[in-house]
Amino acid sequence: MTAVPGARAGAGPGDAAGPAGRVRLRVMQPQITQVWADSAYAGRLVRWSQDFLRMTLRTVSRPRGAKGFVVLPRRWKVERTLGWIMKSRRNVRDYERLPRNSEAHLNWALVTLMTRRSTRRGPRADWSKKQPVASN
């Protein structure tokens, strides 16, 4: 399940996916009870999500004292999913005027990805290993 938060240009992290976006997520997907977010979303938003939506908002923060690149828990799943979405050429640049059109393109890319994976025949090829050459 992917939710697409939207924010105006120049908005801070606390402004993205305002209350309307979270309420919409809750109404459309009532089975979702836990959401992960960047540490910039910590604070009142965590309490608000619990009180009004009955949804647990967990923030993922960088370990204290960490220097350089650090793989954050749950964060790599988001980055991997964004990579899959960007394989769809239309999503590389945002040319849409309305956020709902951009959201539709993102959903279409994910539906295409899931459809291709569910109709795949046989096991996934392992591209990291060289395939044996058949001898005559």
Side-chain angles (χ1 to χ4, degrees):
M1 173 62 218
T2 303
V4 182
R8 68 190 190 306
D15 298 333
R22 289 182 294 277
V23 169
R24 186 171 142 218
L25 171 67
R26 188 64 172 155
V27 169
M28 293 179 73
Q29 301 291 333
Q31 70 274 14
I32 296 177
T33 58
Q34 188 170 359
V35 178
W36 284 272
D38 191 72
S39 60
Y41 293 94
R44 294 185 309 174
L45 182 59
V46 174
R47 190 78 177 141
W48 183 87
S49 295
Q50 183 65 40
D51 292 343
F52 292 102
L53 299 179
R54 305 282 188 251
M55 185 182 294
T56 304
L57 181 75
R58 298 190 182 224
T59 58
V60 178
S61 57
R62 205 174 151 82
R64 294 182 192 263
K67 293 183 180 180
F69 176 77
V70 178
V71 177
L72 301 177
R74 302 281 179 189
R75 186 77 170 261
W76 67 271
K77 292 182 181 182
V78 172
E79 299 297 334
R80 176 193 62 191
T81 305
L82 289 174
W84 290 337
I85 290 171
M86 290 304 142
K87 283 185 176 179
S88 179
R89 290 183 61 188
R90 183 73 183 252
N91 294 321
V92 173
R93 300 283 185 272
D94 188 14
Y95 296 113
E96 305 303 322
R97 286 180 179 240
L98 300 174
R100 68 175 177 240
N101 292 348
S102 295
E103 184 176 352
H105 286 291
L106 293 174
N107 286 331
W108 187 255
L110 290 170
V111 165
T112 303
L113 178 72
M114 288 187 290
T115 304
R116 286 182 182 160
R117 288 185 179 182
S118 65
T119 58
R120 185 183 294 155
R121 297 190 195 279
R124 189 176 129 231
D126 188 4
W127 296 103
S128 62
K129 297 178 183 174
K130 289 186 175 184
Q131 300 296 326
V133 178
S135 59
N136 293 338

